Amino acid sequence: MAGFLDNVRWPEWECIDWSERRNAVASVVAGVLFSAGWWVMIDAAVVYAKPEQLNPAFHTCGVFSTLAFFMINAVSNAQVRGDSYESGCLGRTGARVWLFIGFMLMFGSLIASMWILFGAYVTQNTDVYPGLAVFFQNALIFLSTLIYKFGRTEELWT
Amino acid sequence: LSFTALVLLSFSGAIGLTFLMLGCALEDYGVYWPLFVLIFHAISPIPHFIAKRATYDSDATSSACRELAYFFTTGIVVSAFGFPVILARVAVIKWGACGLVLAGNAVIFLTIQGFFLVFGRGDDFSWEQW
């Protein structure tokens, strides 16, 4: 019984060499998710234009998520390991601190968006859509960051 | 062969623009705000060209610059689709017009991609290729 799916394999698509295109696919997927996140928020802001329905302060989460996206993806994995030739202006430790702060901002925004969804929308007797939009904006940007950061391999850069 | 491709691509580009104009100009609709998607169409190749210039000397399969260009290009394409939907959601345009604009977007982006596929080949990329 154990391991009965061991021999099941995905069908192989031999015609395209996916290993060479992995970075491009990851970048495109990350782009789709990131822009979908922002457009969901734009949609909510446009349809629910009154401040009582969507407090303008709730845009903060998305802004910080975006800032965190660019911070996290500004340092390459090679710099964090200390492998690259030029050490950049901060060196290896600086790269790690930068990455740490970036991830903290990202997780903070994600948690804040969940808080907004539940605290300002689900528990009040009001239309939930703006709260869902804030949450999905940050969740999509978070997923986009993960895919852009970890879905690409730096071996294709050499 | 590339002459045929050029003519076919011009044709599909014209079809795409026709869809876009129909979405704005038909009697039922008559609202011209969707024409702003043309800005997205115009800027969509720019990240690719910037990355191509910046990594011209490199032999590597890929680079961080090129991947960032893919990221921004994808963002621009998604935005071109999102914009008419937003317009329709607040009833600035009707959903029928939105559908026509989205169809026009799809055809135009496929045309742009077709241009890159047909005319983007060649090891030394020269700016005066046409």
Side-chain angles (χ1 to χ4, degrees):
Chain A
M1 177 71 175
F4 70 97
L5 287 178
D6 276 355
N7 290 324
V8 174
R9 294 262 173 275
W10 286 115
E12 286 290 326
W13 289 5
E14 299 291 346
C15 47
I16 307 174
D17 183 9
W18 289 111
S19 59
E20 292 251 317
R21 303 183 141 250
R22 174 184 160 173
N23 284 12
V25 171
S27 309
V28 167
V29 170
V32 170
L33 292 175
F34 184 87
S35 38
W38 271 102
W39 278 98
V40 165
M41 192 60 190
I42 293 174
D43 178 74
V46 151
V47 174
Y48 294 85
K50 301 204 197 75
E52 309 84 58
Q53 292 168 317
L54 176 60
N55 191 333
F58 296 157
H59 286 108
T60 317
C61 298
V63 170
F64 273 99
S65 281
T66 305
L67 178 67
F69 175 96
F70 288 107
M71 280 182 73
I72 289 170
N73 285 301
V75 292
S76 64
N77 290 328
Q79 275 167 336
V80 172
R81 281 195 308 263
D83 281 352
S84 69
Y85 289 114
E86 354 106 33
S87 60
C89 49
L90 299 174
R92 187 180 67 175
T93 313
R96 289 175 175 177
V97 170
W98 183 267
L99 195 63
F100 177 74
I101 295 177
F103 269 112
M104 292 237 314
L105 285 177
M106 179 61 77
F107 283 121
S109 305
L110 188 62
I111 294 170
S113 70
M114 291 182 198
W115 195 331
I116 288 173
L117 169 61
F118 285 103
Y121 290 95
V122 170
T123 55
Q124 319 295 329
N125 199 5
T126 168
D127 201 350
V128 193
Y129 181 75
L132 282 175
V134 175
F135 169 66
F136 275 112
Q137 178 198 21
N138 288 278
L140 285 169
I141 295 178
F142 175 66
L143 278 178
S144 165
T145 310
L146 289 184
I147 291 180
Y148 199 71
K149 179 98 192 124
F150 300 115
R152 304 178 298 150
T153 168
E154 294 181 11
E155 288 175 14
L156 292 178
W157 295 355
T158 54
Chain B
L1 178 65
S2 62
F3 179 72
T4 317
L6 188 62
V7 171
L8 283 173
L9 284 172
S10 323
F11 182 65
S12 71
I15 296 287
L17 287 171
T18 306
F19 277 129
L20 178 61
M21 284 311 300
L22 281 177
C24 297
L26 282 177
E27 284 229 16
D28 243 359
Y29 306 134
V31 176
Y32 287 83
W33 287 112
L35 288 181
F36 273 101
V37 299
L38 288 172
I39 299 180
F40 291 118
H41 298 155
I43 65 176
S44 64
I46 291 180
H48 179 261
F49 283 129
I50 294 177
K52 199 133 190 188
R53 267 292 211 202
T55 61
Y56 183 62
D57 308 322
S58 154
D59 286 329
T61 321
S62 182
S63 72
C65 191
R66 173 135 43 121
E67 290 155 19
L68 195 61
Y70 282 141
F71 177 81
F72 281 123
T73 308
T74 316
I76 293 170
V77 170
V78 170
S79 299
F81 284 98
F83 179 66
V85 172
I86 300 285
L87 287 181
R89 287 266 284 162
V90 272
V92 167
I93 65 176
K94 299 208 182 88
W95 282 102
C98 173
L100 280 170
V101 175
L102 293 179
N105 273 345
V107 174
I108 291 177
F109 280 122
L110 284 174
T111 306
I112 294 176
Q113 179 64 11
F115 265 106
F116 277 105
L117 280 174
V118 171
F119 296 104
R121 293 265 171 270
D123 280 298
D124 52 336
F125 179 75
S126 69
W127 290 97
E128 309 85 34
Q129 207 162 9
W130 335 14

